Amino acid sequence: MAIATLKPQFEKERIVRKMPATQTLVLPGDEIQITSDPTQEITLGPNVKLAPSTSANGNQCNEEEDDDDKLIPTTAGLLNIQQKKATDIYFIESNTKRYTPQVNDLVIGTILGGFDVYYRVSLNNFSPPVLLNQFAFPNATKKNRPHLKNGDVVFARVSNCERNVDAELSCVDPITGKDGGFGLLDGGILVDVKLAYARYLLFEPEAPVLQALVKKCKFETAIGVNGKIWIKTDDLKTTIACVQVIQSSQNWESKDIKKNVAQIFKKLGL
Amino acid sequence: MPRDYDISNNEKQFVLEALKQNLRLDGRKLLQMRDISIVVSPEEYGYVEVTMGKTKVGCRVSGEITKPYDERPFEGIFQISTEISPICSPFFESGQTSNSKQSADEVLISRLIEKAIRRSNALDLESLCIIAGSKCWSIRADLQFLNFDGNFIDISCIAVITALLHFRKPDLEIDGDQLIVFDTNQRDPTPLSILHIPICVTFQFYNPNDNEENIKGDLNNELILIDSNLIEERLSLGSMTLTLNKNKELCQMLKSGGLNIDATLIIKCCSVASKLVDELTTKIQKVLKVDEEQRKSGMESELQVVNDR
């Protein structure tokens, strides 16, 4: 195949967010210009697809220079190109409300029920549930299974998602085999945010909103890229303040963050 | 059967615990409404959009001349159409799903609005009669549910009544057998005759203790709150809708099942509702007054242009 150098790669975790080198708005129907060096390997991230060449007649274009191959966006959004040592990553950042599972995403789900050795977990309201195997917990054996009730909240990783099969979650860290922070989230509250914002909070190493919150109070948090943020503090009022900060900060400008956080805490008498 | 919202135990516990301490997730007190915004269309008569928090409802009132019902020759016709589409939330399904729970919610909302506005005679139907037995106005209010975050009933009631107050029907003249309908440019259109402004207030009830206590005990310390958002509405153990007007007349009251509530608590609810109704009525009237003044000043400047010419 002429596309040997283009490995589709959907592992978002590998994308370490830095300031993107370039950002342009693309729409479905556009063609993405490959700006990297032709010898450079390219990695396709979320929402970028390789369109099959239209003029080529089957196998004949083998070994030829892939002039007819083009990258197309599958959604409207901002095109990000990140230059790494080994590869250039092309992906499109766009905002949606509904989450579709993708392997290695960190998600927060609500247990809806169970059957056999599986729990049914909801990642989105009104979306088909995904599965969580009872053995996908650290040190789980037939005798030592987790006991989760309906309505409990779990933090997990999407371990498997293929077409026509229910997606599966796992609460084991694939590298260490230990819990790695996954599992039941006790207490606290869930906040729904837009998907792009959840990704931003998770991947941005020093998200200014969280930095501002850290200065105000002590809290535990887990961020799921399915647009759910779990937050827990010692005190009810503080939690409410945190919920309000996270929810309303989606529409803040970065320069107002400190002022707005202070305002919300002050309003609640903290 | 449509799916319900998946609400986790964490949210449930947190919201109820917060309510016990007179706190809500959006920072309101229990008996405090969300900020309401009423926007009337500046271009035409009879279109209103009401927003409360994230809940949004639009209402259009339109009128046409038809034949009255045979059994009521002296009255006009007034219809309210309330079909909730999945636009506002996938919780509501489109089409006819007659034996589902969702449909019950939807029927409840439409019946309530019907009861609160139409059956309380807010719109004087006799004034809609043009020629007895042969011609009358048929007024229709179409509600559009645009986004759902709880409390559809109160908001749609405000939308319908504001749209009715805002609506103007073309002026008419009867000349013998002939009916002359004047263009809005020829003669100012006339408002509908609204007899009173009914406003719904929905209360949600929660029991801070267990349910057993509510049936047997006599503590009566149920929590009441108004203008519930989505989670609060899903978690409530019972609700009651009161419809009042500014004259402190109770037009309608509905409490369909749920928690047992003491009579004294209902009286308390009434007095709370009555205060709110006063506030909301003033707000609606203010919005309409501002709109009228803007129209008038717009008209004057238009006439000024004609004069200048």
Side-chain angles (χ1 to χ4, degrees):
Chain A
M1 287 283 283
I3 51 164
T5 51
L6 298 169
K7 277 193 237 152
Q9 177 73 267
F10 291 100
E11 292 176 22
K12 273 186 220 161
E13 258 180 297
R14 294 203 178 175
I15 301 164
V16 179
R17 303 285 164 117
K18 283 186 227 149
M19 275 307 283
T22 46
Q23 263 197 339
T24 32
L25 179 74
V26 285
L27 301 168
D30 287 353
E31 185 179 334
I32 297 173
Q33 300 299 330
I34 301 175
T35 49
S36 344
D37 185 19
T39 57
Q40 178 77 6
E41 185 178 297
I42 293 172
T43 303
L44 301 190
N47 301 327
V48 180
K49 207 182 159 208
L50 182 82
S53 52
T54 43
S55 65
N57 46 356
N59 305 333
Q60 277 191 350
C61 73
N62 264 2
E63 310 304 324
E64 289 288 315
E65 199 39 52
D66 42 330
D67 281 343
D68 289 334
D69 288 333
K70 51 180 183 180
L71 296 182
I72 52 166
T74 57
T75 185
L78 291 172
L79 173 68
N80 287 254
I81 302 168
Q82 281 181 349
Q83 278 153 356
K84 298 280 199 61
K85 255 185 227 158
T87 172
D88 279 5
I89 304 169
Y90 283 64
F91 66 97
I92 293 167
E93 180 72 53
S94 74
N95 196 5
T96 47
K97 278 178 161 176
R98 181 164 296 272
Y99 173 72
T100 28
Q102 249 148 45
V103 171
N104 278 342
D105 275 356
L106 304 177
V107 291
I108 292 177
T110 309
I111 307 276
L112 294 181
F115 65 94
D116 200 12
V117 292
Y118 291 104
Y119 289 114
R120 272 187 298 115
V121 181
S122 147
L123 297 181
N124 259 326
N125 280 317
F126 309 107
S127 284
V130 297
L131 301 177
L132 172 60
N133 197 317
Q134 293 187 339
F135 294 113
F137 285 84
N139 305 325
T141 57
K142 254 190 169 173
K143 282 184 183 162
N144 179 26
R145 287 190 207 177
H147 295 285
L148 298 176
K149 294 187 295 294
N150 287 1
D152 277 352
V153 173
V154 286
F155 185 50
R157 182 182 64 92
V158 180
S159 61
N160 185 16
C161 77
E162 275 164 42
R163 198 177 267 200
N164 305 326
V165 182
D166 284 340
E168 235 180 279
L169 304 182
S170 160
C171 285
V172 186
D173 189 325
I175 299 163
T176 59
K178 297 201 179 117
D179 74 342
F182 296 120
L184 175 72
L185 299 175
D186 197 21
I189 183 132
L190 289 182
V191 192
D192 285 323
V193 293
K194 288 171 187 158
L195 296 193
Y197 193 65
R199 282 197 297 270
Y200 164 79
L201 287 183
L202 183 62
F203 293 116
E204 188 75 35
E206 282 176 10
V209 177
L210 295 180
Q211 293 293 325
L213 265 185
V214 165
K215 282 188 191 130
K216 281 281 176 188
C217 60
K218 212 164 78 181
F219 65 92
E220 260 183 276
T221 184
I223 301 168
V225 289
N226 57 335
K228 296 206 187 291
I229 294 173
W230 173 81
I231 196 153
K232 184 184 180 181
T233 67
D234 300 333
D235 171 52
L236 210 108
K237 258 191 183 172
T238 324
T239 315
I240 291 179
C242 291
V243 168
Q244 284 180 26
V245 166
I246 287 175
Q247 235 158 22
S248 45
S249 62
Q250 297 181 81
N251 309 321
W252 288 351
E253 278 182 49
S254 54
K255 65 176 195 312
D256 297 337
I257 289 173
K258 259 188 200 157
K259 191 182 76 193
N260 290 346
V261 170
Q263 207 173 16
I264 284 177
F265 273 79
K266 199 179 165 193
K267 214 174 165 189
L268 280 156
L270 289 165
Chain B
M1 177 91 184
R3 281 179 63 188
D4 204 341
Y5 287 92
D6 312 318
I7 294 178
S8 63
N9 295 343
N10 304 33
E11 287 166 283
K12 221 180 253 179
Q13 279 161 10
F14 187 88
V15 170
L16 292 178
E17 192 54 44
L19 286 180
K20 278 185 210 171
Q21 300 187 21
N22 196 12
L23 289 167
R24 290 163 83 169
L25 268 186
D26 39 15
R28 283 183 285 159
K29 294 269 178 295
L30 293 193
L31 294 175
Q32 190 185 350
M33 281 198 150
R34 288 174 279 194
D35 287 339
I36 182 170
S37 111
I38 306 172
V39 180
V40 294
S41 164
E43 285 102 31
E44 51 192 338
Y45 285 116
Y47 184 74
V48 176
E49 271 181 16
V50 182
T51 320
M52 245 166 151
K54 281 184 187 159
T55 307
K56 189 170 189 178
V57 165
C59 181
R60 163 170 314 281
V61 170
S62 50
E64 58 174 2
I65 297 169
T66 50
K67 196 172 174 290
Y69 296 128
D70 288 340
E71 64 272 21
R72 294 181 183 277
F74 302 108
E75 287 185 3
I77 300 166
F78 176 42
Q79 282 178 316
I80 305 175
S81 104
T82 44
E83 203 189 322
I84 309 183
S85 76
I87 279 184
C88 59
S89 159
F91 179 57
F92 300 98
E93 281 183 354
S94 58
Q96 296 289 311
T97 42
S98 54
N99 49 3
S100 61
K101 186 179 152 286
Q102 167 264 324
S103 176
D105 279 342
E106 195 180 316
V107 168
L108 195 76
I109 292 174
S110 19
R111 293 288 301 255
L112 242 165
I113 297 165
E114 185 97 359
K115 216 161 105 180
I117 296 178
R118 215 168 75 98
R119 303 248 293 274
S120 75
N121 271 336
L123 180 60
D124 179 17
L125 288 183
E126 282 180 18
S127 73
L128 296 177
C129 176
I130 302 164
I131 303 170
S134 72
K135 283 205 168 47
C136 73
W137 278 105
S138 162
I139 302 293
R140 188 188 159 89
D142 286 285
L143 272 168
Q144 304 283 349
F145 298 90
L146 302 172
N147 198 24
F148 178 56
D149 190 17
N151 205 12
F152 258 165
I153 293 171
D154 298 8
I155 295 165
S156 15
C157 183
I158 294 171
V160 171
I161 197 72
T162 316
L164 283 174
L165 285 165
H166 188 238
F167 181 68
R168 300 282 186 275
K169 55 185 192 321
D171 202 15
L172 300 171
E173 206 176 82
I174 301 166
D175 183 16
D177 296 343
Q178 266 192 328
L179 183 67
I180 305 160
V181 182
F182 289 100
D183 191 81
T184 44
N185 292 332
Q186 265 176 310
R187 275 199 202 175
D188 275 351
T190 52
L192 297 169
S193 125
I194 308 284
L195 302 177
H196 64 112
I197 303 175
I199 284 170
C200 293
V201 181
T202 305
F203 294 86
Q204 306 286 351
F205 301 112
Y206 303 83
N207 194 340
N209 313 94
D210 58 343
N211 272 338
E212 197 75 345
E213 194 280 319
N214 177 260
I215 300 163
K216 291 177 187 159
D218 23 45
L219 278 173
N220 289 325
N221 51 2
E222 283 83 11
L223 299 167
I224 50 173
L225 61 84
I226 58 161
D227 193 20
S228 54
N229 64 21
L230 204 151
I231 292 187
E232 289 159 353
E233 197 164 300
R234 291 284 109 202
L235 294 182
S236 97
L237 298 172
S239 70
M240 176 173 75
T241 307
L242 298 174
T243 310
L244 290 103
N245 61 21
K246 217 182 171 181
N247 315 329
K248 296 204 192 310
E249 290 166 330
L250 187 63
C251 311
Q252 180 273 132
M253 177 182 153
L254 178 94
K255 183 170 183 315
S256 44
L259 221 55
N260 300 349
I261 294 299
D262 210 50
T264 46
L265 202 58
I266 293 182
I267 305 270
K268 191 188 159 199
C269 287
C270 285
S271 61
V272 169
S274 151
K275 235 179 251 163
L276 274 168
V277 167
D278 281 353
E279 275 170 37
L280 286 170
T281 315
T282 349
K283 179 127 200 182
I284 291 173
Q285 279 165 342
K286 200 176 144 198
V287 168
L288 290 169
K289 207 175 161 192
V290 169
D291 176 67
E292 192 142 337
E293 271 162 18
Q294 270 171 359
R295 274 168 200 275
K296 222 182 246 169
S297 63
M299 190 100 90
E300 265 164 24
S301 60
E302 208 171 283
L303 288 176
Q304 194 65 46
V305 174
V306 176
N307 262 355
D308 290 346
R309 251 190 275 165

